[in-house]
């Protein structure tokens, strides 16, 4: 029988990497708190309609990338491809409109998209996601951008490029759509196949096609900013003013339209040149009509999501620190089978005292246990042998300096705690 491997496009986050994730998530949680965002846990699957209506029928995500299945009662459910629609659903369902606005929430967890896997692009990937719902204030847009940049700064990331655009609203979007279609119509047949199908359904997306022929054709095409209505235009000016005020270095990218249909007004991305083709570490923007598209009352909102795999990849590429890898403090070494229970007692005493400790379970020789203790990264070996048992002590060996001393049994935990070499 052939052995079973993980499905294509998904990865195991092994312990040698998972501690780096823990650091990213810790920094995220602390920064969230500093900006007044509270954590929420949302379901991994939702009714398919939430995404088809919320994210938009003509998006790649909904058209080609969702993991959709029927449950045993015949309901169509979908593994979440993103979090904004779920956040807004939860806001509406839990009557968060009754709370002080905006309601600022964040969440982290796995998303699922059936995309072609490549470096930095997976079929299951993690996002950290932040949403501020219930305010139109352009300074809330600014806050979300600043928040993403603060997280990246605290993680030690550099060389990031922030690009911003305004994609307008249902008032000005039709004006832009018509101008864009008029501009493209004479060269429609020269566009790539995908863009030809987008021409009627979602012409805006043609602007961010990466195909060189399409890029050449769309050079000089009407951009969204030149078609903004007064309200969107002044909102965008305020966003830029706010970004200036806090000293955020951003550039305007008139081609930035983002791949999800719910965006209105502000759209932005944070890019890293260290990532290769999948260079977006973070993407976000405003979605003032998302709540209505899923059947709720008008509820403006803005937020962003950043991919955890891409953050970790960029940090590795840039040689950023992930803090200290959590290692054992102590390894209990037992010199004779007959006193194993004494060694176990010590092990559990240490653990209860908050010392990260472990013991051999493979019947290794005394010497091999020492070797293993050294390789495990533990700072100390705590030796329990017949002499130690009869004298009520433990031999504590500093595995780095090689120094060893007898410590009274009841003092081992505090000796390690105060040694200055505690890892955890
Ligand atoms: P998105 O641009 O689709 O936006 O995804 C946000 C981030 O998730 C990307 O910048 C990237 O870092 C990561 N990401 C996306 N797809 C993959 C993948 N297949 N593999 C690895 N990482 C990936 C959203 O999801 C919006 N919900 C963001 C948002 C929140 N807008 C407003 N609020």
């Amino acid at each position: 029988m052939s052995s079973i491997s993980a499905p294509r496009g998904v990865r195991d986050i092994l312990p040698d990497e998972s501690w780096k994730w823990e650091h990213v998530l810790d920094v995220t949680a602390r920064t969230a708190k500093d900006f007044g965002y509270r954590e929420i846990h949302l379901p991994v699957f939702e009714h398919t309609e939430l995404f088809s209506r919320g994210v938009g029928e003509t998006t790649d995500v909904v058209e080609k990338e969702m993991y959709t299945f029927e449950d045993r009662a015949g309901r169509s459910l979908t593994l979440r491809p993103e979090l904004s629609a779920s956040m807004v659903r939860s806001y509406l369902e839990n009557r968060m409109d009754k709370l002080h606005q905006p309601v600022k929430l964040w969440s982290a967890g796995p998303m699922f998209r059936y995309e072609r896997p490549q470096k930095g692009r997976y079929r299951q990937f993690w996002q950290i996601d932040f949403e501020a719902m219930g305010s139109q204030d352009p300074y809330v847009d600014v806050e979300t951008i600043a928040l993403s940049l603060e997280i990246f700064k605290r993680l030690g990331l550099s060389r990031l490029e922030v690009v911003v655009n305004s994609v307008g609203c249902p008032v000005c979007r039709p004006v832009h759509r018509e101008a864009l279609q008029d501009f493209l119509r004479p060269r429609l047949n020269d566009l790539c196949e995908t863009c030809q199908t987008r021409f009627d359904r979602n012409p805006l997306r043609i602007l961010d096609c990466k195909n060189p022929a399409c890029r050449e054709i769309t050079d000089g095409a009407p951009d969204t900013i030149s078609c903004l209505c007064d309200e969107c235009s002044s909102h965008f000016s305020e966003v830029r003013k706010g970004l200036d005020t806090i000293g955020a270095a951003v550039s305007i990218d008139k081609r930035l339209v983002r791949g999800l249909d719910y965006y209105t007004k502000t759209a932005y991305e944070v890019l890293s040149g260290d990532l290769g083709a999948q260079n977006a570490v973070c993407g976000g923007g405003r979605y003032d009509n998302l709540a209505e598209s899923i059947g709720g009352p008008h509820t403006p909102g803005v937020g962003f999501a950043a991919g955890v795999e891409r953050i970790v990849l960029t940090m590795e590429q840039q040689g950023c620190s992930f803090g200290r890898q959590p290692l054992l403090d102590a390894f209990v070494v037992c010199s004779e089978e007959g006193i194993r229970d004494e060694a176990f007692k010590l092990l559990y005493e240490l653990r209860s005292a908050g010392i990260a400790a472990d013991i051999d379970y493979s019947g290794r020789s005394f010497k091999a246990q020492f070797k293993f203790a050294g390789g495990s990264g533990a700072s100390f070996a705590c030796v329990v042998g017949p002499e130690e048992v009869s004298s009520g002590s433990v031999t504590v060996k500093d595995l780095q300096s090689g120094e060893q001393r007898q410590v009274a049994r009841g003092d081992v935990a505090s000796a390690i705690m105060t040694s200055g070499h505690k890892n955890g």
Side-chain angles (χ1 to χ4, degrees):
M1 231 195 317
S2 60
S3 61
I4 300 168
S5 54
R8 186 167 138 79
V10 308
R11 330 165 42 230
D12 300 319
I13 311 304
L14 300 173
D16 278 345
E17 190 180 346
S18 66
W19 70 277
K20 299 180 178 176
W21 283 49
E22 197 183 325
H23 174 69
V24 171
L25 294 170
D26 273 357
V27 169
T28 301
R30 264 181 275 131
T31 318
K33 220 189 243 167
D34 292 345
F35 278 69
Y37 285 69
R38 299 176 74 203
E39 189 171 12
I40 180 172
H41 298 290
L42 294 164
V44 166
F45 59 85
E46 298 267 8
H47 289 294
T48 300
E49 245 191 315
L50 175 69
F51 303 115
S52 52
R53 281 167 42 190
V55 174
E57 295 280 4
T58 65
T59 57
D60 287 350
V61 168
V62 170
E63 272 187 344
K64 310 184 226 170
E65 295 170 3
M66 294 204 302
Y67 282 92
T68 297
F69 59 97
E70 267 190 12
D71 73 2
R72 287 172 190 271
R75 300 179 196 93
S76 180
L77 300 173
T78 292
L79 296 182
R80 62 185 183 194
E82 61 105 54
L83 269 169
S84 314
S86 301
M87 285 272 200
V88 174
R89 195 252 325 125
S90 179
Y91 173 100
L92 297 171
E93 193 170 338
N94 295 293
R95 292 308 309 261
M96 294 189 212
D97 59 319
K98 298 215 176 300
L99 306 176
H100 182 76
Q101 306 293 305
V103 173
K104 305 202 293 187
L105 301 173
W106 79 279
S107 193
M111 309 297 141
F112 306 86
R113 294 185 193 175
Y114 191 82
E115 290 195 88
R116 198 169 47 76
Q118 64 183 89
K119 184 183 163 201
R121 188 163 72 192
Y122 312 100
R123 290 183 173 170
Q124 174 176 330
F125 58 95
W126 270 56
Q127 282 185 344
I128 50 172
D129 182 280
F130 289 77
E131 312 291 351
M133 293 163 287
S135 170
Q136 316 244 22
D137 190 332
Y139 274 43
V140 181
D141 306 42
V142 173
E143 178 181 277
T144 65
I145 297 174
L147 169 52
S148 74
L149 296 180
E150 183 65 25
I151 293 172
F152 299 145
K153 188 174 109 196
R154 291 186 189 189
L155 290 171
L157 286 168
S158 54
R159 302 196 294 274
L160 297 176
E161 191 193 351
V162 190
V163 288
V164 190
N165 193 16
S166 176
V167 295
C169 70
V171 173
C172 46
R173 190 101 42 84
V175 178
H176 174 255
R177 184 190 163 99
E178 207 179 315
L180 182 61
Q181 283 175 325
D182 287 347
F183 178 88
L184 293 173
R185 197 167 285 109
R187 297 193 61 190
L188 182 55
N189 294 333
D190 302 329
L191 290 170
C192 75
E193 242 173 70
T194 317
C195 284
Q196 290 192 26
T197 64
R198 283 172 176 159
F199 182 79
D200 284 317
R201 308 184 61 205
N202 197 352
L204 193 62
R205 290 295 315 281
I206 299 176
L207 287 179
D208 79 343
C209 179
K210 303 286 179 282
N211 182 310
C214 298
R215 284 195 91 82
E216 188 255 296
I217 295 168
T218 51
D219 262 346
D223 54 61
T224 48
I225 293 181
S226 57
C227 300
L228 294 181
C229 62
D230 289 347
E231 191 197 314
C232 287
S233 182
S234 75
H235 192 274
F236 194 44
S237 304
E238 286 296 303
V239 170
R240 281 180 298 180
K241 185 159 81 69
L243 289 168
D244 263 0
T245 306
I246 60 160
V250 304
S251 50
I252 310 262
D253 179 357
K254 294 182 178 175
R255 279 182 184 268
L256 179 71
V257 298
R258 311 266 305 123
L260 311 167
D261 275 357
Y262 49 61
Y263 289 111
T264 51
K265 300 192 169 87
T266 317
Y268 59 91
E269 278 182 350
V270 182
L271 310 170
S272 165
D274 292 300
L275 271 177
Q278 299 306 315
N279 64 348
V281 189
C282 162
R286 181 163 275 287
Y287 46 80
D288 290 346
N289 304 316
L290 172 52
E292 282 159 293
S293 69
I294 60 169
H298 181 73
T299 311
V302 59
F304 71 88
V308 176
E309 287 83 357
R310 291 190 194 174
I311 293 175
V312 171
L313 267 173
T314 315
M315 287 176 70
E316 285 174 342
Q317 207 84 30
Q318 298 189 356
C320 301
S321 162
F322 291 93
R324 271 170 70 175
Q325 181 166 9
L327 296 168
L328 286 179
D329 297 312
F331 198 86
V332 175
V333 173
C334 173
S335 72
E336 273 178 35
E337 185 59 33
I339 48 173
R340 211 169 167 226
D341 282 353
E342 285 300 322
F344 265 107
K345 261 196 217 154
L346 174 66
L347 174 69
Y348 281 89
E349 280 162 24
L350 293 177
R351 287 175 171 172
S352 311
I355 308 262
D358 215 343
I359 199 165
D360 172 56
Y361 291 105
S362 321
R364 288 184 173 85
S365 70
F366 185 61
K367 211 172 136 200
Q369 286 180 55
F370 258 106
K371 204 165 158 213
F372 186 77
S376 74
S379 306
F380 297 97
C382 297
V383 184
V384 180
E387 272 173 39
E388 282 87 358
V389 173
S390 62
S391 66
S393 66
V394 171
T395 304
V396 178
K397 180 171 182 178
D398 183 324
L399 289 168
Q400 233 136 58
S401 67
E403 254 172 61
Q404 63 178 54
R405 59 190 174 115
Q406 295 294 117
V407 178
R409 173 65 183 261
D411 297 337
V412 179
S414 62
I416 292 175
M417 279 290 190
T418 54
S419 66
H421 294 297
K422 190 179 171 331
N423 282 319

